[in-house]
Amino acid sequence: GQNIDQPTEMTATEGAIVQINCTYQTSGFNGLFWYQQHAGEAPTFLSYNVLDGLEEKGRFSSFLSRSKGYSYLLLKELQMKDSASYLCAATDSNYQLIWGAGTKLIIKP
Amino acid sequence: GAVVSQHPSWVICKSGTSVKIECRSLDFQATTMFWYRQFPKQSLMLMATSNEGSKATYEQGVEKDKFLINHASLTLSTLTVTSAHPEDSSFYICSARGSSDYNEQFFGPGTRLTVL
């Protein structure tokens, strides 16, 4: 079956770095997305990886290893506004998004 | 960037009534639109996928006669919750995908439905 695993909740300190991991098993693979979702709002796009390696975009970076079925989202210089849920979603052979349950990130001062 | 709007942003209705939610892609043509439902503290659950001009494909467990989807144009899809009941209360989110090769879905702001 198709499955996405990511931690349910993580806590980090303002100004620090946090890495949110995601493992996936899909029928075929056409890329992996990371979305940020604040409570009561729709998800917003953070990153897309289809090739192995690290993609850096400001304070956020995303890594993909296709052979390991593994990705991570790295957030640097954490700010209080980064408190949100982070959703990992893999695209299968039909270009359908398979969603993880999301990781709730709590930032403490 | 691509913008997707949803209307209404929230709705409260009595049990047994029908509610229509509109999803529009404002600055691009959406060949495919998706409807999701999200219960509190849970992840997105895909309800159905619709391609312009054809019938929607519903996910297992989603009643197509209860959740009517119409994707009549490349910029508009509607979801009608028929005979809504309190258990249908949820956050409904649409997303739209254009014809680019990277498959990104652009999300609408969501509609909070409360059925009394």
Side-chain angles (χ1 to χ4, degrees), chain A residues 30 33 35 37 39-45 47-48 57 87 91 94-97 99-102 104, chain B residues 34 36 38 41-44 46 49 59 91 93 97 101-110 112:
Chain A
N30 283 296
F33 291 88
Y35 285 86
Q37 186 178 26
E41 298 179 12
T44 55
F45 170 81
S47 68
Y48 173 72
K57 195 186 290 186
L87 306 174
T91 315
N94 295 320
Y95 296 95
Q96 189 91 300
L97 275 179
W99 292 88
K104 182 179 180 181
Chain B
F34 304 86
Y36 294 88
Q38 187 175 33
K41 299 184 180 180
Q42 295 187 21
S43 189
L44 298 171
L46 179 65
T49 303
E59 294 299 301
F91 192 44
I93 309 172
R97 187 173 72 198
D101 17 280
Y102 130 4
N103 308 308
E104 181 182 347
Q105 293 183 24
F106 301 97
F107 285 87
R112 174 79 55 196

mmCIF file of all heavy atoms in Angstrom, chain A residues 30 33 35 37 39-45 47-48 57 87 91 94-97 99-102 104, chain B residues 34 36 38 41-44 46 49 59 91 93 97 101-110 112:
data_model
loop_
_atom_site.group_PDB
_atom_site.id
_atom_site.type_symbol
_atom_site.label_atom_id
_atom_site.label_comp_id
_atom_site.label_asym_id
_atom_site.label_seq_id
_atom_site.Cartn_x
_atom_site.Cartn_y
_atom_site.Cartn_z
ATOM 1 N N ASN A 30 6.703 10.608 -8.403
ATOM 2 C CA ASN A 30 6.892 11.765 -9.278
ATOM 3 C C ASN A 30 7.164 13.027 -8.486
ATOM 4 O O ASN A 30 6.765 14.117 -8.897
ATOM 5 C CB ASN A 30 5.672 11.947 -10.185
ATOM 6 C CG ASN A 30 5.666 10.958 -11.339
ATOM 7 O OD1 ASN A 30 6.555 10.994 -12.190
ATOM 8 N ND2 ASN A 30 4.692 10.072 -11.353
ATOM 9 N N PHE A 33 6.427 16.902 -2.064
ATOM 10 C CA PHE A 33 6.124 18.275 -1.671
ATOM 11 C C PHE A 33 6.171 18.418 -0.157
ATOM 12 O O PHE A 33 5.855 17.486 0.581
ATOM 13 C CB PHE A 33 4.706 18.655 -2.112
ATOM 14 C CG PHE A 33 4.516 18.778 -3.591
ATOM 15 C CD1 PHE A 33 4.176 17.682 -4.355
ATOM 16 C CD2 PHE A 33 4.654 20.006 -4.217
ATOM 17 C CE1 PHE A 33 3.978 17.787 -5.718
ATOM 18 C CE2 PHE A 33 4.455 20.128 -5.585
ATOM 19 C CZ PHE A 33 4.114 19.025 -6.327
ATOM 20 N N TYR A 35 4.432 21.182 2.559
ATOM 21 C CA TYR A 35 3.520 22.296 2.736
ATOM 22 C C TYR A 35 3.523 22.710 4.199
ATOM 23 O O TYR A 35 3.707 21.896 5.097
ATOM 24 C CB TYR A 35 2.091 21.900 2.355
ATOM 25 C CG TYR A 35 1.831 21.796 0.877
ATOM 26 C CD1 TYR A 35 2.095 20.620 0.168
ATOM 27 C CD2 TYR A 35 1.311 22.873 0.170
ATOM 28 C CE1 TYR A 35 1.843 20.532 -1.187
ATOM 29 C CE2 TYR A 35 1.053 22.791 -1.197
ATOM 30 C CZ TYR A 35 1.313 21.622 -1.862
ATOM 31 O OH TYR A 35 1.067 21.532 -3.209
ATOM 32 N N GLN A 37 1.056 24.480 7.101
ATOM 33 C CA GLN A 37 -0.346 24.790 7.367
ATOM 34 C C GLN A 37 -0.497 25.348 8.774
ATOM 35 O O GLN A 37 -0.244 24.646 9.749
ATOM 36 C CB GLN A 37 -1.226 23.554 7.186
ATOM 37 C CG GLN A 37 -2.717 23.862 7.309
ATOM 38 C CD GLN A 37 -3.593 22.653 7.083
ATOM 39 O OE1 GLN A 37 -3.192 21.521 7.299
ATOM 40 N NE2 GLN A 37 -4.824 22.893 6.645
ATOM 41 N N ALA A 39 -2.967 26.752 11.775
ATOM 42 C CA ALA A 39 -4.273 26.297 12.261
ATOM 43 C C ALA A 39 -5.396 27.095 11.617
ATOM 44 O O ALA A 39 -5.356 28.334 11.589
ATOM 45 C CB ALA A 39 -4.335 26.416 13.775
ATOM 46 N N GLY A 40 -6.374 26.393 11.084
ATOM 47 C CA GLY A 40 -7.534 27.056 10.504
ATOM 48 C C GLY A 40 -7.309 27.627 9.116
ATOM 49 O O GLY A 40 -8.192 28.304 8.580
ATOM 50 N N GLU A 41 -6.135 27.365 8.558
ATOM 51 C CA GLU A 41 -5.846 27.878 7.215
ATOM 52 C C GLU A 41 -5.522 26.735 6.272
ATOM 53 O O GLU A 41 -5.244 25.615 6.689
ATOM 54 C CB GLU A 41 -4.670 28.855 7.268
ATOM 55 C CG GLU A 41 -4.935 30.082 8.123
ATOM 56 C CD GLU A 41 -3.747 31.029 8.177
ATOM 57 O OE1 GLU A 41 -2.803 30.849 7.380
ATOM 58 O OE2 GLU A 41 -3.770 31.941 9.027
ATOM 59 N N ALA A 42 -5.554 27.034 4.989
ATOM 60 C CA ALA A 42 -5.188 26.026 3.987
ATOM 61 C C ALA A 42 -3.662 25.892 3.910
ATOM 62 O O ALA A 42 -2.931 26.780 4.341
ATOM 63 C CB ALA A 42 -5.744 26.427 2.634
ATOM 64 N N PRO A 43 -3.184 24.785 3.382
ATOM 65 C CA PRO A 43 -1.735 24.600 3.244
ATOM 66 C C PRO A 43 -1.133 25.586 2.253
ATOM 67 O O PRO A 43 -1.781 25.992 1.287
ATOM 68 C CB PRO A 43 -1.611 23.175 2.693
ATOM 69 C CG PRO A 43 -2.911 22.521 2.964
ATOM 70 C CD PRO A 43 -3.929 23.606 2.945
ATOM 71 N N THR A 44 0.105 25.955 2.498
ATOM 72 C CA THR A 44 0.854 26.775 1.544
ATOM 73 C C THR A 44 2.114 26.033 1.142
ATOM 74 O O THR A 44 2.752 25.366 1.957
ATOM 75 C CB THR A 44 1.227 28.154 2.127
ATOM 76 O OG1 THR A 44 1.930 27.958 3.358
ATOM 77 C CG2 THR A 44 -0.003 28.986 2.397
ATOM 78 N N PHE A 45 2.462 26.165 -0.097
ATOM 79 C CA PHE A 45 3.586 25.434 -0.692
ATOM 80 C C PHE A 45 4.917 25.905 -0.118
ATOM 81 O O PHE A 45 5.170 27.100 0.017
ATOM 82 C CB PHE A 45 3.558 25.662 -2.205
ATOM 83 C CG PHE A 45 4.776 25.184 -2.937
ATOM 84 C CD1 PHE A 45 4.908 23.848 -3.266
ATOM 85 C CD2 PHE A 45 5.779 26.069 -3.307
ATOM 86 C CE1 PHE A 45 6.031 23.395 -3.953
ATOM 87 C CE2 PHE A 45 6.902 25.626 -3.991
ATOM 88 C CZ PHE A 45 7.021 24.293 -4.314
ATOM 89 N N SER A 47 8.071 23.538 -0.746
ATOM 90 C CA SER A 47 9.133 23.014 -1.602
ATOM 91 C C SER A 47 8.657 21.811 -2.393
ATOM 92 O O SER A 47 7.660 21.176 -2.049
ATOM 93 C CB SER A 47 10.346 22.607 -0.761
ATOM 94 O OG SER A 47 10.023 21.488 0.046
ATOM 95 N N TYR A 48 9.421 21.527 -3.446
ATOM 96 C CA TYR A 48 9.178 20.354 -4.287
ATOM 97 C C TYR A 48 10.530 19.755 -4.647
ATOM 98 O O TYR A 48 11.422 20.469 -5.110
ATOM 99 C CB TYR A 48 8.422 20.757 -5.548
ATOM 100 C CG TYR A 48 8.269 19.660 -6.575
ATOM 101 C CD1 TYR A 48 7.411 18.601 -6.354
ATOM 102 C CD2 TYR A 48 8.984 19.693 -7.772
ATOM 103 C CE1 TYR A 48 7.248 17.594 -7.295
ATOM 104 C CE2 TYR A 48 8.834 18.695 -8.718
ATOM 105 C CZ TYR A 48 7.962 17.653 -8.473
ATOM 106 O OH TYR A 48 7.809 16.654 -9.410
ATOM 107 N N LYS A 57 16.064 27.182 0.097
ATOM 108 C CA LYS A 57 15.238 28.341 -0.232
ATOM 109 C C LYS A 57 15.131 29.180 1.029
ATOM 110 O O LYS A 57 14.249 28.985 1.865
ATOM 111 C CB LYS A 57 13.859 27.876 -0.685
ATOM 112 C CG LYS A 57 13.036 28.924 -1.385
ATOM 113 C CD LYS A 57 11.615 28.428 -1.663
ATOM 114 C CE LYS A 57 11.559 27.348 -2.717
ATOM 115 N NZ LYS A 57 10.160 26.995 -3.057
ATOM 116 N N LEU A 87 3.323 19.459 6.337
ATOM 117 C CA LEU A 87 2.775 18.291 5.663
ATOM 118 C C LEU A 87 3.713 17.823 4.555
ATOM 119 O O LEU A 87 4.131 18.624 3.715
ATOM 120 C CB LEU A 87 1.416 18.628 5.047
ATOM 121 C CG LEU A 87 0.365 19.230 5.984
ATOM 122 C CD1 LEU A 87 -0.863 19.645 5.204
ATOM 123 C CD2 LEU A 87 -0.012 18.228 7.048
ATOM 124 N N THR A 91 4.052 12.264 -4.617
ATOM 125 C CA THR A 91 3.227 12.087 -5.818
ATOM 126 C C THR A 91 3.475 10.712 -6.386
ATOM 127 O O THR A 91 4.620 10.346 -6.649
ATOM 128 C CB THR A 91 3.606 13.145 -6.863
ATOM 129 O OG1 THR A 91 3.717 14.404 -6.232
ATOM 130 C CG2 THR A 91 2.559 13.239 -7.942
ATOM 131 N N ASN A 94 0.351 8.083 -10.750
ATOM 132 C CA ASN A 94 -0.814 8.742 -11.354
ATOM 133 C C ASN A 94 -0.840 10.227 -11.033
ATOM 134 O O ASN A 94 -1.850 10.892 -11.252
ATOM 135 C CB ASN A 94 -2.117 8.096 -10.854
ATOM 136 C CG ASN A 94 -2.251 6.667 -11.313
ATOM 137 O OD1 ASN A 94 -1.918 6.340 -12.457
ATOM 138 N ND2 ASN A 94 -2.713 5.790 -10.429
ATOM 139 N N TYR A 95 0.254 10.744 -10.507
ATOM 140 C CA TYR A 95 0.359 12.146 -10.115
ATOM 141 C C TYR A 95 -0.633 12.502 -9.015
ATOM 142 O O TYR A 95 -1.016 13.662 -8.867
ATOM 143 C CB TYR A 95 0.207 13.089 -11.326
ATOM 144 C CG TYR A 95 1.335 12.888 -12.319
ATOM 145 C CD1 TYR A 95 1.180 12.038 -13.414
ATOM 146 C CD2 TYR A 95 2.557 13.518 -12.145
ATOM 147 C CE1 TYR A 95 2.221 11.839 -14.299
ATOM 148 C CE2 TYR A 95 3.601 13.321 -13.035
ATOM 149 C CZ TYR A 95 3.427 12.482 -14.105
ATOM 150 O OH TYR A 95 4.458 12.268 -14.979
ATOM 151 N N GLN A 96 -1.035 11.495 -8.262
ATOM 152 C CA GLN A 96 -1.915 11.724 -7.116
ATOM 153 C C GLN A 96 -1.029 12.040 -5.910
ATOM 154 O O GLN A 96 -0.004 11.404 -5.693
ATOM 155 C CB GLN A 96 -2.689 10.435 -6.841
ATOM 156 C CG GLN A 96 -3.796 10.559 -5.841
ATOM 157 C CD GLN A 96 -5.107 10.889 -6.497
ATOM 158 O OE1 GLN A 96 -5.226 11.925 -7.150
ATOM 159 N NE2 GLN A 96 -6.096 10.040 -6.341
ATOM 160 N N LEU A 97 -1.450 13.015 -5.108
ATOM 161 C CA LEU A 97 -0.694 13.346 -3.906
ATOM 162 C C LEU A 97 -1.097 12.415 -2.769
ATOM 163 O O LEU A 97 -2.283 12.281 -2.453
ATOM 164 C CB LEU A 97 -0.962 14.788 -3.484
ATOM 165 C CG LEU A 97 -0.135 15.885 -4.143
ATOM 166 C CD1 LEU A 97 -0.562 17.236 -3.613
ATOM 167 C CD2 LEU A 97 1.343 15.676 -3.868
ATOM 168 N N TRP A 99 -0.742 12.036 1.128
ATOM 169 C CA TRP A 99 -0.411 12.963 2.208
ATOM 170 C C TRP A 99 0.004 12.251 3.484
ATOM 171 O O TRP A 99 -0.592 11.251 3.873
ATOM 172 C CB TRP A 99 -1.634 13.835 2.536
ATOM 173 C CG TRP A 99 -1.992 14.784 1.453
ATOM 174 C CD1 TRP A 99 -2.806 14.561 0.391
ATOM 175 C CD2 TRP A 99 -1.522 16.119 1.305
ATOM 176 N NE1 TRP A 99 -2.874 15.667 -0.400
ATOM 177 C CE2 TRP A 99 -2.107 16.645 0.129
ATOM 178 C CE3 TRP A 99 -0.672 16.940 2.068
ATOM 179 C CZ2 TRP A 99 -1.869 17.948 -0.305
ATOM 180 C CZ3 TRP A 99 -0.430 18.232 1.635
ATOM 181 C CH2 TRP A 99 -1.021 18.723 0.461
ATOM 182 N N GLY A 100 0.991 12.824 4.159
ATOM 183 C CA GLY A 100 1.291 12.416 5.514
ATOM 184 C C GLY A 100 0.307 13.093 6.463
ATOM 185 O O GLY A 100 -0.436 13.990 6.063
ATOM 186 N N ALA A 101 0.328 12.666 7.711
ATOM 187 C CA ALA A 101 -0.608 13.210 8.699
ATOM 188 C C ALA A 101 -0.182 14.584 9.204
ATOM 189 O O ALA A 101 -0.943 15.254 9.897
ATOM 190 C CB ALA A 101 -0.759 12.249 9.865
ATOM 191 N N GLY A 102 1.039 14.977 8.862
ATOM 192 C CA GLY A 102 1.502 16.294 9.294
ATOM 193 C C GLY A 102 2.295 16.233 10.587
ATOM 194 O O GLY A 102 2.054 15.380 11.443
ATOM 195 N N LYS A 104 3.233 18.621 13.735
ATOM 196 C CA LYS A 104 2.967 19.889 14.414
ATOM 197 C C LYS A 104 4.264 20.374 15.055
ATOM 198 O O LYS A 104 4.846 19.685 15.896
ATOM 199 C CB LYS A 104 1.895 19.694 15.481
ATOM 200 C CG LYS A 104 1.525 20.987 16.201
ATOM 201 C CD LYS A 104 0.430 20.751 17.230
ATOM 202 C CE LYS A 104 0.071 22.032 17.942
ATOM 203 N NZ LYS A 104 -0.977 21.810 18.963
ATOM 204 N N PHE B 34 -9.061 19.494 -7.083
ATOM 205 C CA PHE B 34 -9.176 18.487 -6.038
ATOM 206 C C PHE B 34 -9.992 19.062 -4.885
ATOM 207 O O PHE B 34 -9.874 20.235 -4.556
ATOM 208 C CB PHE B 34 -7.779 18.111 -5.509
ATOM 209 C CG PHE B 34 -6.830 17.635 -6.566
ATOM 210 C CD1 PHE B 34 -6.071 18.539 -7.299
ATOM 211 C CD2 PHE B 34 -6.674 16.277 -6.824
ATOM 212 C CE1 PHE B 34 -5.184 18.109 -8.275
ATOM 213 C CE2 PHE B 34 -5.796 15.835 -7.792
ATOM 214 C CZ PHE B 34 -5.051 16.755 -8.521
ATOM 215 N N TYR B 36 -10.708 18.444 -0.831
ATOM 216 C CA TYR B 36 -10.235 17.789 0.381
ATOM 217 C C TYR B 36 -11.160 18.142 1.544
ATOM 218 O O TYR B 36 -11.808 19.181 1.561
ATOM 219 C CB TYR B 36 -8.823 18.269 0.751
ATOM 220 C CG TYR B 36 -7.728 17.886 -0.211
ATOM 221 C CD1 TYR B 36 -7.411 18.694 -1.299
ATOM 222 C CD2 TYR B 36 -6.975 16.727 -0.012
ATOM 223 C CE1 TYR B 36 -6.382 18.352 -2.170
ATOM 224 C CE2 TYR B 36 -5.939 16.379 -0.876
ATOM 225 C CZ TYR B 36 -5.651 17.203 -1.945
ATOM 226 O OH TYR B 36 -4.634 16.864 -2.799
ATOM 227 N N GLN B 38 -10.861 18.212 5.881
ATOM 228 C CA GLN B 38 -9.910 18.099 6.989
ATOM 229 C C GLN B 38 -10.648 18.269 8.311
ATOM 230 O O GLN B 38 -11.213 19.336 8.571
ATOM 231 C CB GLN B 38 -8.789 19.135 6.870
ATOM 232 C CG GLN B 38 -7.688 18.953 7.892
ATOM 233 C CD GLN B 38 -6.536 19.929 7.676
ATOM 234 O OE1 GLN B 38 -6.749 21.052 7.237
ATOM 235 N NE2 GLN B 38 -5.325 19.495 7.979
ATOM 236 N N LYS B 41 -7.249 18.587 13.785
ATOM 237 C CA LYS B 41 -6.025 17.879 14.169
ATOM 238 C C LYS B 41 -5.751 16.652 13.297
ATOM 239 O O LYS B 41 -5.015 15.757 13.710
ATOM 240 C CB LYS B 41 -6.071 17.476 15.647
ATOM 241 C CG LYS B 41 -6.176 18.675 16.575
ATOM 242 C CD LYS B 41 -6.125 18.272 18.015
ATOM 243 C CE LYS B 41 -6.232 19.505 18.917
ATOM 244 N NZ LYS B 41 -6.192 19.170 20.339
ATOM 245 N N GLN B 42 -6.344 16.601 12.120
ATOM 246 C CA GLN B 42 -6.061 15.505 11.206
ATOM 247 C C GLN B 42 -5.519 16.063 9.897
ATOM 248 O O GLN B 42 -5.603 17.256 9.632
ATOM 249 C CB GLN B 42 -7.330 14.688 10.943
ATOM 250 C CG GLN B 42 -7.848 13.973 12.171
ATOM 251 C CD GLN B 42 -9.005 13.052 11.834
ATOM 252 O OE1 GLN B 42 -9.190 12.632 10.695
ATOM 253 N NE2 GLN B 42 -9.803 12.734 12.843
ATOM 254 N N SER B 43 -4.957 15.178 9.090
ATOM 255 C CA SER B 43 -4.390 15.635 7.830
ATOM 256 C C SER B 43 -5.491 15.773 6.782
ATOM 257 O O SER B 43 -6.653 15.462 7.024
ATOM 258 C CB SER B 43 -3.334 14.649 7.349
ATOM 259 O OG SER B 43 -2.645 15.186 6.246
ATOM 260 N N LEU B 44 -5.097 16.251 5.639
ATOM 261 C CA LEU B 44 -6.028 16.394 4.534
ATOM 262 C C LEU B 44 -6.487 15.019 4.048
ATOM 263 O O LEU B 44 -5.689 14.111 3.924
ATOM 264 C CB LEU B 44 -5.348 17.108 3.370
ATOM 265 C CG LEU B 44 -4.855 18.527 3.634
ATOM 266 C CD1 LEU B 44 -4.027 19.000 2.474
ATOM 267 C CD2 LEU B 44 -6.007 19.460 3.872
ATOM 268 N N LEU B 46 -8.324 13.440 0.756
ATOM 269 C CA LEU B 46 -8.814 13.704 -0.581
ATOM 270 C C LEU B 46 -10.200 13.095 -0.727
ATOM 271 O O LEU B 46 -10.404 11.917 -0.431
ATOM 272 C CB LEU B 46 -7.865 13.108 -1.622
ATOM 273 C CG LEU B 46 -8.263 13.282 -3.081
ATOM 274 C CD1 LEU B 46 -8.246 14.767 -3.462
ATOM 275 C CD2 LEU B 46 -7.316 12.496 -3.989
ATOM 276 N N THR B 49 -11.356 13.987 -7.246
ATOM 277 C CA THR B 49 -10.546 14.670 -8.258
ATOM 278 C C THR B 49 -11.442 14.943 -9.450
ATOM 279 O O THR B 49 -12.176 14.046 -9.890
ATOM 280 C CB THR B 49 -9.378 13.772 -8.703
ATOM 281 O OG1 THR B 49 -8.599 13.417 -7.569
ATOM 282 C CG2 THR B 49 -8.524 14.472 -9.738
ATOM 283 N N GLU B 59 -12.946 9.280 -4.091
ATOM 284 C CA GLU B 59 -12.150 8.349 -3.301
ATOM 285 C C GLU B 59 -13.080 7.348 -2.609
ATOM 286 O O GLU B 59 -14.271 7.608 -2.404
ATOM 287 C CB GLU B 59 -11.330 9.106 -2.251
ATOM 288 C CG GLU B 59 -10.273 10.014 -2.861
ATOM 289 C CD GLU B 59 -9.258 9.265 -3.686
ATOM 290 O OE1 GLU B 59 -8.567 8.357 -3.145
ATOM 291 O OE2 GLU B 59 -9.143 9.547 -4.911
ATOM 292 N N PHE B 91 -13.632 21.257 7.594
ATOM 293 C CA PHE B 91 -12.931 22.277 6.801
ATOM 294 C C PHE B 91 -12.756 21.681 5.411
ATOM 295 O O PHE B 91 -12.118 20.638 5.246
ATOM 296 C CB PHE B 91 -11.585 22.573 7.471
ATOM 297 C CG PHE B 91 -10.856 23.770 6.960
ATOM 298 C CD1 PHE B 91 -11.514 24.965 6.719
ATOM 299 C CD2 PHE B 91 -9.480 23.726 6.747
ATOM 300 C CE1 PHE B 91 -10.831 26.086 6.263
ATOM 301 C CE2 PHE B 91 -8.781 24.847 6.298
ATOM 302 C CZ PHE B 91 -9.459 26.017 6.057
ATOM 303 N N ILE B 93 -11.367 22.059 1.632
ATOM 304 C CA ILE B 93 -10.338 22.804 0.912
ATOM 305 C C ILE B 93 -10.272 22.309 -0.521
ATOM 306 O O ILE B 93 -10.262 21.097 -0.766
ATOM 307 C CB ILE B 93 -8.951 22.612 1.553
ATOM 308 C CG1 ILE B 93 -8.991 22.881 3.062
ATOM 309 C CG2 ILE B 93 -7.919 23.519 0.887
ATOM 310 C CD1 ILE B 93 -7.685 22.526 3.761
ATOM 311 N N ARG B 97 -4.743 22.432 -10.145
ATOM 312 C CA ARG B 97 -3.463 22.145 -10.805
ATOM 313 C C ARG B 97 -3.595 22.528 -12.258
ATOM 314 O O ARG B 97 -4.584 22.203 -12.912
ATOM 315 C CB ARG B 97 -3.128 20.655 -10.686
ATOM 316 C CG ARG B 97 -1.756 20.270 -11.195
ATOM 317 C CD ARG B 97 -1.463 18.817 -10.873
ATOM 318 N NE ARG B 97 -2.250 17.921 -11.691
ATOM 319 C CZ ARG B 97 -2.459 16.638 -11.385
ATOM 320 N NH1 ARG B 97 -1.964 16.125 -10.266
ATOM 321 N NH2 ARG B 97 -3.179 15.862 -12.179
ATOM 322 N N ASP B 101 4.517 21.075 -15.784
ATOM 323 C CA ASP B 101 4.969 19.703 -15.534
ATOM 324 C C ASP B 101 5.381 19.417 -14.130
ATOM 325 O O ASP B 101 5.990 18.407 -13.884
ATOM 326 C CB ASP B 101 6.160 19.351 -16.436
ATOM 327 C CG ASP B 101 6.835 20.481 -17.038
ATOM 328 O OD1 ASP B 101 6.302 20.952 -18.031
ATOM 329 O OD2 ASP B 101 7.897 20.887 -16.565
ATOM 330 N N TYR B 102 5.037 20.272 -13.221
ATOM 331 C CA TYR B 102 5.558 19.966 -11.925
ATOM 332 C C TYR B 102 4.536 19.625 -10.899
ATOM 333 O O TYR B 102 4.854 19.271 -9.808
ATOM 334 C CB TYR B 102 6.515 21.029 -11.599
ATOM 335 C CG TYR B 102 6.678 21.844 -10.490
ATOM 336 C CD1 TYR B 102 5.979 21.811 -9.326
ATOM 337 C CD2 TYR B 102 7.707 22.741 -10.644
ATOM 338 C CE1 TYR B 102 6.303 22.635 -8.314
ATOM 339 C CE2 TYR B 102 8.029 23.548 -9.637
ATOM 340 C CZ TYR B 102 7.347 23.493 -8.493
ATOM 341 O OH TYR B 102 7.710 24.319 -7.525
ATOM 342 N N ASN B 103 3.328 19.590 -11.354
ATOM 343 C CA ASN B 103 2.243 19.001 -10.566
ATOM 344 C C ASN B 103 1.915 19.692 -9.264
ATOM 345 O O ASN B 103 1.265 19.111 -8.421
ATOM 346 C CB ASN B 103 2.550 17.515 -10.246
ATOM 347 C CG ASN B 103 2.889 16.748 -11.480
ATOM 348 O OD1 ASN B 103 2.150 16.785 -12.438
ATOM 349 N ND2 ASN B 103 4.026 16.092 -11.479
ATOM 350 N N GLU B 104 2.361 20.911 -9.113
ATOM 351 C CA GLU B 104 2.049 21.593 -7.857
ATOM 352 C C GLU B 104 0.567 21.873 -7.801
ATOM 353 O O GLU B 104 -0.058 22.252 -8.796
ATOM 354 C CB GLU B 104 2.801 22.916 -7.742
ATOM 355 C CG GLU B 104 2.513 23.644 -6.428
ATOM 356 C CD GLU B 104 3.221 24.979 -6.337
ATOM 357 O OE1 GLU B 104 4.114 25.242 -7.157
ATOM 358 O OE2 GLU B 104 2.862 25.755 -5.433
ATOM 359 N N GLN B 105 0.003 21.661 -6.641
ATOM 360 C CA GLN B 105 -1.386 22.023 -6.416
ATOM 361 C C GLN B 105 -1.428 23.344 -5.655
ATOM 362 O O GLN B 105 -0.717 23.522 -4.668
ATOM 363 C CB GLN B 105 -2.093 20.932 -5.602
ATOM 364 C CG GLN B 105 -2.246 19.616 -6.343
ATOM 365 C CD GLN B 105 -3.010 18.582 -5.541
ATOM 366 O OE1 GLN B 105 -3.795 18.916 -4.650
ATOM 367 N NE2 GLN B 105 -2.791 17.319 -5.858
ATOM 368 N N PHE B 106 -2.257 24.225 -6.122
ATOM 369 C CA PHE B 106 -2.440 25.516 -5.459
ATOM 370 C C PHE B 106 -3.737 25.458 -4.666
ATOM 371 O O PHE B 106 -4.790 25.151 -5.216
ATOM 372 C CB PHE B 106 -2.474 26.639 -6.502
ATOM 373 C CG PHE B 106 -1.225 26.701 -7.330
ATOM 374 C CD1 PHE B 106 -1.175 26.091 -8.573
ATOM 375 C CD2 PHE B 106 -0.102 27.356 -6.865
ATOM 376 C CE1 PHE B 106 -0.010 26.128 -9.342
ATOM 377 C CE2 PHE B 106 1.058 27.407 -7.626
ATOM 378 C CZ PHE B 106 1.107 26.791 -8.860
ATOM 379 N N PHE B 107 -3.635 25.775 -3.396
ATOM 380 C CA PHE B 107 -4.772 25.595 -2.511
ATOM 381 C C PHE B 107 -5.605 26.859 -2.358
ATOM 382 O O PHE B 107 -5.079 27.971 -2.303
ATOM 383 C CB PHE B 107 -4.304 25.134 -1.129
ATOM 384 C CG PHE B 107 -3.883 23.693 -1.109
ATOM 385 C CD1 PHE B 107 -2.596 23.324 -1.437
ATOM 386 C CD2 PHE B 107 -4.799 22.701 -0.781
ATOM 387 C CE1 PHE B 107 -2.209 21.986 -1.437
ATOM 388 C CE2 PHE B 107 -4.427 21.362 -0.777
ATOM 389 C CZ PHE B 107 -3.132 21.013 -1.109
ATOM 390 N N GLY B 108 -6.909 26.660 -2.278
ATOM 391 C CA GLY B 108 -7.796 27.728 -1.880
ATOM 392 C C GLY B 108 -7.690 27.925 -0.380
ATOM 393 O O GLY B 108 -7.089 27.100 0.320
ATOM 394 N N PRO B 109 -8.292 28.973 0.153
ATOM 395 C CA PRO B 109 -8.198 29.282 1.576
ATOM 396 C C PRO B 109 -9.047 28.395 2.465
ATOM 397 O O PRO B 109 -8.943 28.451 3.684
ATOM 398 C CB PRO B 109 -8.650 30.742 1.652
ATOM 399 C CG PRO B 109 -9.545 30.921 0.475
ATOM 400 C CD PRO B 109 -8.984 30.033 -0.607
ATOM 401 N N GLY B 110 -9.919 27.584 1.871
ATOM 402 C CA GLY B 110 -10.744 26.676 2.660
ATOM 403 C C GLY B 110 -12.091 27.269 3.021
ATOM 404 O O GLY B 110 -12.289 28.492 3.049
ATOM 405 N N ARG B 112 -15.040 26.699 6.042
ATOM 406 C CA ARG B 112 -15.396 26.043 7.306
ATOM 407 C C ARG B 112 -16.902 25.831 7.304
ATOM 408 O O ARG B 112 -17.661 26.777 7.291
ATOM 409 C CB ARG B 112 -14.983 26.939 8.470
ATOM 410 C CG ARG B 112 -15.409 26.455 9.848
ATOM 411 C CD ARG B 112 -14.527 25.386 10.387
ATOM 412 N NE ARG B 112 -13.121 25.763 10.425
ATOM 413 C CZ ARG B 112 -12.127 24.885 10.564
ATOM 414 N NH1 ARG B 112 -12.396 23.608 10.702
ATOM 415 N NH2 ARG B 112 -10.874 25.291 10.587
#
